[in-house]
């Protein structure tokens, strides 16, 4: 078994790869069965089905979505996944680059129990619109 640093860095890498795969169920598998995500203070989405549906909607908007892990930090069961999302919007064809992060609370087996995601929605929309 590797160090905690290795385990969490691998988790971040694999999570980015899952997002880049286009497979919503792969994304949801990183969450505990009752795991939840809240995006920019939005209503929490709880459970694998809801999380997979959220990913499915994002893939519909950005069919060539790629996610990169820019940085990973942790303190006990809490982690910060800093990332960049990049893809072309399906309707406008515009390239969109969104930087942000997720604040995670992890379970003892390193599944995401809660994720608070943050990004600049106004900036993303401006890129989609080509403004």
């Amino acid at each position: 078994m590797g160090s905690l640093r290795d385990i969490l860095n691998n988790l971040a890498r694999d999570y980015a790869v899952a997002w880049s795969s286009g497979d919503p169920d792969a994304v949801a598998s990183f969450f505990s069965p009752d795991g939840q995500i809240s995006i920019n203070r939005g209503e929490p989405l709880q459970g694998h089905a809801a999380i997979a549906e959220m990913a499915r909607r994002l893939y519909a908007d950005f069919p060539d979505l790629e996610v990169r892990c820019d940085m990973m930090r942790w303190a006990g069961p809490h982690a910060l996944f800093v990332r960049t999302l990049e893809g072309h919007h399906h309707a406008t064809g515009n390239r969109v680059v969104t930087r942000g992060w997720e604040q995670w609370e992890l379970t003892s087996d390193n599944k995401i129990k809660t994720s608070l995601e943050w990004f600049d929605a106004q900036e993303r929309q401006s890129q989609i619109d080509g403004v």
Side-chain angles (χ1 to χ4, degrees), residues 14-36:
D14 294 345
Y15 185 68
V17 167
W19 268 108
S20 298
S21 75
D23 181 353
D25 293 321
V27 172
S29 74
F30 281 82
F31 289 78
S32 65
D34 63 343
Q36 65 180 27

Side-chain angles (χ1 to χ4, degrees), residues 59-80:
Y59 293 138
D61 287 342
F62 300 96
D64 63 344
L65 182 71
E66 290 187 33
V67 176
R68 292 185 305 276
C69 176
D70 301 323
M71 182 178 68
M72 182 71 171
R73 294 286 187 260
W74 60 91
H78 303 280
L80 183 66

Side-chain angles (χ1 to χ4, degrees), residues 37-130:
I37 187 169
S38 175
I39 302 168
N40 288 341
R41 288 196 179 111
E43 193 66 33
L45 304 169
Q46 187 167 15
H48 286 182
I51 293 166
E53 181 56 31
M54 175 267 305
R56 195 171 287 109
R57 287 192 309 268
L58 189 60
Y59 293 138
D61 287 342
F62 300 96
D64 63 344
L65 182 71
E66 290 187 33
V67 176
R68 292 185 305 276
C69 176
D70 301 323
M71 182 178 68
M72 182 71 171
R73 294 286 187 260
W74 60 91
H78 303 280
L80 183 66
F81 174 74
V82 180
R83 51 92 184 130
T84 300
L85 281 67
E86 185 173 342
H88 293 85
H89 190 262
H90 81 286
T92 66
N94 291 333
R95 180 175 169 265
V96 177
V97 178
T98 306
R99 291 173 180 82
W101 64 87
E102 293 183 38
Q103 296 167 236
W104 292 342
E105 181 182 355
L106 299 169
T107 64
S108 60
D109 61 346
N110 297 314
K111 294 287 188 178
I112 301 168
K113 181 177 180 179
T114 60
S115 175
L116 302 175
E117 181 179 350
W118 303 98
F119 69 93
D120 187 335
Q122 184 176 2
E123 172 62 24
R124 178 187 281 180
Q125 191 61 51
S126 292
Q127 291 181 52
I128 291 170
D129 296 338

